[in-house]
Amino acid sequence: MICLAVTFQVRPGAEDRAADSFRKLTEHSRAEPGCLMYQFHRSPTDPRKFFVYEQYVDEAALQSHSNSAYFARYVHQELSSLIESSDLVKYEPI
Amino acid sequence: MICLAVTFQVRPGAEDRAADSFRKLTEHSRAEPGCLMYQFHRSPTDPRKFFVYEQYVDEAALQSHSNSAYFARYVHQELSSLIESSDLVKYEPI
């Protein structure tokens, strides 16, 4: 299993549009057979801070997610102008 | 629901003892009725970097976890000497 912990800082004023794209991304991701978990969150104290926790069966499942048409649309197109910074960390469960 | 994303940097040489305590902490935490998810991870590229993703039904469930005897033992006693730094972020799912 491969897990990702990704933190986003969204540009001021772009929070709602980003949240919308994150929700669409969630729908598509959860439909992937190799995606075991995909949960977006928002910080209750910093409304521009979002976090997603993801689990994939293996590297191929993660690649299938990253190379999908929906990923290109929501991440590379829609979200790219809404995100100020992001930090992705890959983990293995213990 | 309340979610926690906690990252730990373990002292050099303390990795295995810390991983052992994290596993015991996991067993106890998952047994809590209000704990929906409790998963520890390790970075495949930095063996001193650990991460736990937690979900609780509500604030009371989180407090029950934090105030438990096992939390005092493993976090405040065993792990306190093994952890170099930690970063806890509280989130709400969207």
Side-chain angles (χ1 to χ4, degrees):
Chain A
M1 187 196 306
I2 293 171
C3 302
L4 300 186
V6 192
T7 309
F8 300 89
Q9 197 68 23
V10 168
R11 295 191 191 288
E15 297 91 329
D16 292 343
R17 279 175 296 156
D20 200 39
S21 295
F22 289 148
R23 287 192 189 92
K24 288 178 197 148
L25 192 53
T26 298
E27 275 172 48
H28 288 280
S29 303
R30 287 178 177 171
E32 292 245 22
C35 180
L36 301 170
M37 185 168 174
Y38 199 91
Q39 180 66 57
F40 256 97
H41 312 72
R42 192 174 193 172
S43 163
T45 53
D46 176 358
R48 294 202 295 128
K49 186 171 187 169
F50 291 81
F51 167 74
V52 60
Y53 174 70
E54 310 172 43
Q55 290 184 353
Y56 298 91
V57 171
D58 54 26
E59 188 64 37
L62 172 55
Q63 289 313 313
S64 162
H65 168 71
S66 311
N67 299 330
S68 67
Y70 69 83
F71 192 92
R73 176 176 173 194
Y74 294 114
V75 175
H76 298 314
Q77 289 161 33
E78 283 191 16
L79 286 161
S80 59
S81 62
L82 308 179
I83 304 294
E84 192 173 271
S85 63
S86 63
D87 174 57
L88 181 152
V89 185
K90 192 185 267 190
Y91 287 107
E92 292 168 352
I94 62 167
Chain B
M1 188 196 302
I2 292 173
C3 303
L4 300 186
V6 192
T7 309
F8 301 88
Q9 197 69 21
V10 168
R11 295 191 190 288
E15 297 91 329
D16 290 344
R17 279 177 294 154
D20 199 40
S21 294
F22 290 147
R23 286 192 190 91
K24 288 180 199 147
L25 192 53
T26 298
E27 272 173 50
H28 288 280
S29 304
R30 286 179 178 171
E32 292 243 21
C35 179
L36 301 171
M37 185 168 175
Y38 197 92
Q39 180 66 58
F40 256 97
H41 311 74
R42 191 172 192 173
S43 164
T45 54
D46 175 359
R48 294 202 295 127
K49 187 170 187 169
F50 291 81
F51 168 73
V52 61
Y53 175 68
E54 309 173 42
Q55 290 184 354
Y56 298 91
V57 172
D58 53 27
E59 187 63 38
L62 172 55
Q63 289 313 315
S64 161
H65 169 71
S66 311
N67 298 331
S68 67
Y70 68 83
F71 192 91
R73 175 178 174 190
Y74 294 116
V75 175
H76 298 313
Q77 289 160 33
E78 283 193 11
L79 286 163
S80 58
S81 62
L82 308 179
I83 303 292
E84 192 173 272
S85 64
S86 64
D87 175 56
L88 182 153
V89 186
K90 193 186 267 192
Y91 288 107
E92 292 167 352
I94 62 168

